[in-house]
Amino acid sequence: MGFFSERLLQSMAAHKIECKQLAPKIGCSYEFVRRMTRGQSLPSVKLLAKMCSLFRWNRAELNEFIRVDRCRRKFGTTFWAAIGKNPRMEPVYILFPYLTVEEQKMWVASLRAYVEARTSVNRS
């Protein structure tokens, strides 16, 4: 999981493109596309340019995703701690922006319900 891989997966789903179809469109192997979708590899500058053109991505935004993913890879959980974030919340930081406003509200309401239930059990 990574910021770049999630954007790639979302874009592929929106364009109804599978890894095998994407690879020849951007000039790389199926295996490399698969590794990018799993957060195991990141694109080169040239490959990113092709993907930005195909998916109409904002290049600066994607460069930032790649920079953050490289830092996460290099420093592990220390990365999150260094920027004052809880490392255990990484999936939330990555996935929350992909929810609609309504889904975000529902998710927060569910969390509140869990916390309240746990709190009321602890009081008993």
Side-chain angles (χ1 to χ4, degrees):
M1 177 183 295
F3 289 94
F4 176 79
S5 63
E6 289 303 320
R7 174 57 64 88
L8 177 57
L9 287 167
Q10 291 289 325
S11 296
M12 288 171 61
H15 286 83
K16 296 179 174 57
I17 297 175
E18 295 180 9
C19 293
K20 288 182 180 179
Q21 297 165 317
L22 179 60
K25 288 180 186 269
I26 60 174
C28 70
S29 68
Y30 157 78
E31 180 61 24
F32 193 73
V33 172
R34 190 186 66 77
R35 289 180 54 81
M36 287 190 294
T37 63
R38 292 183 177 186
Q40 298 168 335
S41 294
L42 294 168
S44 65
V45 173
K46 184 178 176 183
L47 189 57
L48 179 61
K50 290 179 181 180
M51 294 169 84
C52 285
S53 176
L54 178 67
F55 293 124
R56 298 175 197 231
W57 287 338
N58 176 311
R59 182 106 180 236
E61 181 182 31
L62 270 292
N63 278 329
E64 182 65 13
F65 285 168
I66 290 169
R67 186 181 69 79
V68 171
D69 283 343
R70 281 194 180 115
C71 289
R72 289 176 44 247
R73 227 190 248 170
K74 183 174 181 178
F75 299 109
T77 57
T78 305
F79 166 77
W80 292 110
I83 62 171
K85 303 287 183 181
N86 183 339
R88 293 181 7 207
M89 297 295 293
E90 181 178 61
V92 175
Y93 302 139
I94 294 170
L95 297 172
F96 196 77
Y98 292 102
L99 300 176
T100 65
V101 172
E102 293 79 24
E103 291 167 337
Q104 290 173 353
K105 288 177 182 177
M106 186 175 68
W107 190 79
V108 170
S110 295
L111 283 177
R112 280 193 181 117
Y114 284 120
V115 170
E116 294 220 2
R118 190 185 73 216
T119 304
S120 63
V121 168
N122 289 339
R123 288 184 206 164
S124 302

